[in-house]
Amino acid sequence: MYYNRHTRRAFLRGAGGFMFAIPFLPSLAEKAYAQTPAKNLKRFVTFYWSGGGGAPIWFPNVPASLMTTTGTNYKAMRLTDVLTRNGRISDAFRDPRFAKYAPMLNIYRGMDIERFTGHNKLGALAGESDGDRSVDSLPQYPSIDYLISRSPAVYPTEPASRLGVLGVMDSTNNWNGPSISFSKTSSGTTSVIPPILSPIAAYDYYFKDFVPSGPAGDAALAALKARRKSVLDTVFEDYKRTMASTRLASSEKSVLSSHVEQFRELEKKIDNIKASACASVPTRPTTSLFLNTPDMVAMGYFKNQRDLLPAIDLMIEISATAMRCQMTNVVTIMLDAGNCGFNYMGIGDTHGLSHGRVSPDPTNRANAMKQTADMNNLYIGRILNFMDKIDIDDPAAAGERMLDNTLILGTNEFGSVGNHRSWSLPVFTLGGGNRVNTGWYVDYRGKRAISDNYSDREIDLANLPVEYFGRDYNSLLIGCMTAMGLTPADWEKPGVAGFGSYQFPALDKGWYVESETSPAGIITPGRRTPPPFFLKA
């Protein structure tokens, strides 16, 4: 079980072995925790799914008058107090393990991607607004998981794997493309990072060249390095022979010479190959679990639904083990791919539920809300399984907890109001207590209500809670990068402040306009600024 080492555990260990327990004292814990020096985090994990969450089932049901902590542009309440008052955090966060993990959870309300976006996978990690139903679009910026994975603050030495992008669902109609992750090419443009969809392929990605710790692994490590160097030497000899050819044009020699740098990078990787910090890893899966028959694809069903959760469980076991064994520090897991036709255990498809939550029929609306809560609990329960697997002493930092040095971001493409728009996105973080203020429900919404004339006639305003514009979602992405030790120089384009696209609501119309500055009183200005109260000082 996880306890703050600066409070309860330290007290019990220092009590001379007396066999008693003291009640949890929030005021003492808060003071002790606040004294912990803030430092950059070591690991970053993203969980993404597309189902969204209606505000009544996603956010805690507490009146503003009970929000105990306030500041400029935000108000907050401790999630332990929410649990005490309501018995659960919300319908979407009803897993009993939150009695343990609530002090490490943050739920954010009022994180807005401002432009009209019915389907916006690009926004999740790239901060892009590309309109509704654009297929295979590319953002202008690489995604934050890629940027974090390239940072020397996260990887002081070359790792076995900088970034793993895993998924379990695919679709013939993936609006905004198949992935939320994007890399940057040598020319400065972005390129999609397709997710690894098979658990067998994911296992091989991390553990194909696994070398266990201890003396037994020494011979295997030497053999692996020799094999890699042998292949590299062979390729390099081919390169030298080609360069010496009299038939090779000078322009072609220039192109070929540019590859020398790649050889040097491969040599560094070989020199840095180390035995794993673990003595063993899970058994390699024997099946991908997926069925891809032509008739299923034609019907819009792209995987066998009964295999969805077992496949997610395998991906979580593989990625958590890779992190525990110090083989990677950055992982992105797509729990579905958007417009995915979930249809699991009586739960309707995620896309259909987003429409059902604004149905004019109260029975249909209530049923969609219940199924949305059930769907979110299936996904969030899997994320908590990941938490359970890394709730250990940090193998890379003696005397610290792995969860304190790991920031987990749960993000989505559908918002909590209207017909799956991207306002008040259902997003949260877990862990990261060495750098992030944890254990809070934080509300960033302002005083201006979302316009009711944005040309979406499916919304039933009379039966929905009023939402207000809050803070641009990109500030949360900037907060995550800052927590990982990155600076604006790592994510900004030359001469352009901020990250991603910034589009704000026009004051005199229900549509959206591109603007370099936010309208006063609606979106908090400051393109380089994490959300207030997000980071520890």
Side-chain angles (χ1 to χ4, degrees):
M1 180 174 290
Y2 178 86
Y3 292 109
N4 186 337
R5 65 182 183 282
H6 299 287
T7 55
R8 185 180 177 93
R9 176 156 53 188
F11 180 89
L12 292 176
R13 285 182 173 176
F18 288 102
M19 299 301 294
F20 69 93
I22 60 172
F24 178 67
L25 305 175
S27 59
L28 296 182
E30 180 177 356
K31 182 177 180 180
Y33 200 81
Q35 293 173 347
T36 306
K39 55 185 178 180
N40 295 333
L41 304 177
K42 303 177 185 297
R43 304 173 197 86
F44 180 70
V45 183
T46 301
F47 286 95
Y48 164 89
W49 66 102
S50 66
I57 65 100
W58 183 267
F59 299 114
N61 180 22
V62 291
S65 60
L66 293 182
M67 305 291 270
T68 57
T69 302
T70 61
T72 304
N73 302 312
Y74 77 90
K75 51 186 175 292
M77 181 176 183
R78 283 201 172 275
L79 289 172
T80 50
D81 293 339
V82 175
L83 277 170
T84 299
R85 179 180 183 273
N86 295 342
R88 63 170 61 180
I89 293 173
S90 70
D91 285 350
F93 292 88
R94 64 180 186 242
D95 193 298
R97 284 174 290 179
F98 281 116
K100 167 185 172 182
Y101 285 130
M104 302 196 73
L105 170 69
N106 282 336
I107 299 174
Y108 307 100
R109 189 168 188 171
M111 291 278 98
D112 301 330
I113 296 178
E114 295 81 19
R115 189 168 181 249
F116 172 92
T117 46
H119 300 273
N120 191 43
K121 194 177 301 176
L122 302 183
L125 293 180
E128 186 78 29
S129 297
D130 198 47
D132 190 29
R133 303 186 184 184
S134 297
V135 179
D136 296 335
S137 301
L138 289 174
Q140 59 177 322
Y141 290 80
S143 52
I144 68 169
D145 52 348
Y146 173 81
L147 292 170
I148 290 170
S149 74
R150 309 310 295 179
S151 171
V154 176
Y155 290 118
T157 60
E158 190 66 31
S161 169
R162 284 189 174 273
L163 168 64
V165 180
L166 312 180
V168 294
M169 299 293 284
D170 200 2
S171 172
T172 56
N173 187 13
N174 270 332
W175 291 321
N176 295 131
S179 181
I180 63 170
S181 299
F182 303 88
S183 63
K184 184 169 65 175
T185 65
S186 57
S187 64
T189 59
T190 54
S191 178
V192 68
I193 305 175
I196 300 171
L197 299 179
S198 163
I200 295 176
Y203 183 93
D204 290 344
Y205 177 76
Y206 285 118
F207 304 124
K208 183 178 181 180
D209 292 322
F210 172 74
V211 176
S213 60
D218 293 344
L221 182 61
L224 175 60
K225 287 187 176 183
R227 186 167 65 251
R228 293 275 184 88
K229 286 186 176 181
S230 174
V231 173
L232 188 62
D233 289 344
T234 300
V235 175
F236 195 63
E237 287 300 320
D238 289 341
Y239 159 79
K240 290 192 294 184
R241 283 194 297 271
T242 304
M243 284 292 288
S245 173
T246 58
R247 299 173 54 189
L248 193 66
S250 59
S251 59
E252 293 172 325
K253 285 187 178 183
S254 176
V255 172
L256 194 57
S257 295
S258 67
H259 289 272
V260 173
E261 182 180 349
Q262 298 181 32
F263 285 116
R264 299 292 175 255
E265 288 297 318
L266 288 173
E267 286 178 336
K268 290 179 183 178
K269 287 186 177 183
I270 292 173
D271 291 337
N272 288 327
I273 291 177
K274 299 177 181 178
S276 169
C278 297
S280 63
V281 294
T283 303
R284 185 175 187 265
T286 58
T287 175
S288 68
L289 292 173
F290 299 145
L291 298 178
N292 280 318
T293 61
D295 59 323
M296 291 177 71
V297 173
M299 293 168 56
Y301 291 89
F302 25 83
K303 303 292 187 228
N304 188 342
Q305 296 295 320
R306 73 185 178 206
D307 292 336
L308 172 61
L309 296 185
I312 292 175
D313 291 339
L314 276 176
M315 291 296 198
I316 285 175
E317 176 68 25
I318 290 166
S319 56
T321 302
M323 281 197 153
R324 289 198 308 264
C325 295
Q326 302 182 54
M327 304 180 78
T328 190
N329 288 342
V330 188
V331 175
T332 294
I333 300 179
M334 297 180 62
L335 301 176
D336 66 42
N339 191 34
C340 70
F342 186 79
N343 289 317
Y344 191 88
M345 294 176 60
I347 300 172
D349 70 275
T350 55
H351 180 253
L353 290 178
S354 65
H355 286 269
R357 292 196 296 269
V358 293
S359 168
D361 185 316
T363 300
N364 291 342
R365 191 165 60 249
N367 187 51
M369 285 289 190
K370 178 185 181 303
Q371 292 185 48
T372 298
D374 292 343
M375 177 267 297
N376 277 295
N377 271 277
L378 286 174
Y379 282 146
I380 292 173
R382 265 60 199 179
I383 298 172
L384 290 177
N385 291 347
F386 184 91
M387 292 276 288
D388 289 340
K389 294 178 186 302
I390 64 170
D391 185 13
I392 61 174
D393 291 332
D394 195 331
E400 299 185 20
R401 297 294 291 181
M402 192 171 178
L403 285 174
D404 280 333
N405 286 317
T406 304
L407 179 61
I408 298 173
L409 170 67
T411 188
N412 216 281
E413 82 176 313
F414 293 159
S416 65
V417 65
N419 177 17
H420 59 63
R421 299 298 177 246
S422 298
W423 301 308
S424 257
L425 282 173
V427 293
F428 64 91
T429 60
L430 278 162
N434 280 340
R435 189 71 173 92
V436 176
N437 281 313
T438 61
W440 296 91
Y441 166 44
V442 191
D443 190 344
Y444 292 109
R445 291 175 300 164
K447 296 182 178 181
R448 180 175 170 84
I450 290 174
S451 172
D452 62 355
N453 66 334
Y454 58 85
S455 302
D456 182 356
R457 297 181 179 179
E458 295 182 62
I459 189 170
D460 179 11
L461 289 172
N463 293 289
L464 286 174
V466 174
E467 284 294 305
Y468 297 85
F469 287 119
R471 188 175 180 89
D472 56 276
Y473 172 76
N474 290 359
S475 66
L476 181 65
L477 301 181
I478 288 173
C480 291
M481 290 189 285
T482 303
M484 301 304 300
L486 279 66
T487 66
D490 295 309
W491 65 72
E492 289 183 347
K493 288 186 173 182
V496 181
F499 176 79
S501 62
Y502 290 77
Q503 303 189 40
F504 300 97
L507 293 173
D508 58 346
K509 60 185 68 174
W511 204 247
Y512 298 88
V513 294
E514 183 70 28
S515 173
E516 287 297 315
T517 59
S518 60
I522 299 180
I523 306 298
T524 304
R527 289 193 171 198
R528 293 180 171 175
T529 309
F533 196 62
F534 180 75
L535 296 176
K536 288 184 175 180

